[in-house]
Structures are given as C-alpha cells and as structure tokens.
Amino acid sequence: MSIVFVPKKLRGKAKINQETIQRLLDENDQLIKCIAEYQQKGRAVECVQYQQILHRNIVYLATIADASPDNMPPSTHSTSNEGSASTPAMNGPGAT
C-alpha cells in the first residue's frame, strides 16, 4: 500500500524528509514497471488502479515541492556576453 494513504487523523503530522521522498520515488518506479507490464498483457483494469496510485503519489510529491522553501529556482541574470556570444558565429565569414 502506498505511503501516501495516511489516515485522516494523521494527515499533516507526518514529517517530510529525504527518506520519505525517496521511498515515494522508488514506489513510483515500481508502479511504472507494473503499469507497463500490465499494459503488455492487456490488463487494463489493473493498469488503471496502478495509474491512480501513481497519480496520487505524483500530486503529493508536487505539493511537497511547491510548499518547500528550499525549492527556489536559480536566478537567471543574463550578462551582455551571453547574448552576444552567438552573434559572431552567425555573422562570421561566409554569412550573407
């Protein structure tokens, strides 16, 4: 059973750490393998069940990522050298 299935009285009290996230990622890996296997066997009902669990896990991981203060995108400060670095190659010898 997925670790995302937590009783309502315990929701919001679980401590999120790297181990929990890694367990979810490992579980997702196994779910994807099961889904692929069942698809090859033509067992659509089982695929849907595993896809629902996978979806729930992914949404949970996305929620954690969105709420994480450490999840700041790197700043993208462009300098004048970055923008003009490709210009000489395009306007080099033989360019029309």
Side-chain angles (χ1 to χ4, degrees), residues 67-89:
S68 174
D70 299 337
N71 194 20
M72 297 298 293
S75 61
T76 53
H77 298 292
S78 62
T79 62
S80 59
N81 291 343
E82 288 177 3
S84 62
S86 62
T87 306

Side-chain angles (χ1 to χ4, degrees), residues 40-93:
Q40 289 176 350
K41 294 179 180 180
R43 296 173 67 180
V45 174
E46 289 87 350
C47 282
V48 171
Q49 291 171 341
Y50 286 122
Q51 287 170 341
Q52 289 172 342
I53 296 168
L54 178 63
H55 178 264
R56 184 173 290 142
N57 286 358
I58 291 171
V59 168
Y60 181 71
L61 287 168
T63 303
I64 293 169
D66 288 345
S68 174
D70 299 337
N71 194 20
M72 297 298 293
S75 61
T76 53
H77 298 292
S78 62
T79 62
S80 59
N81 291 343
E82 288 177 3
S84 62
S86 62
T87 306
M90 295 176 71
N91 294 333

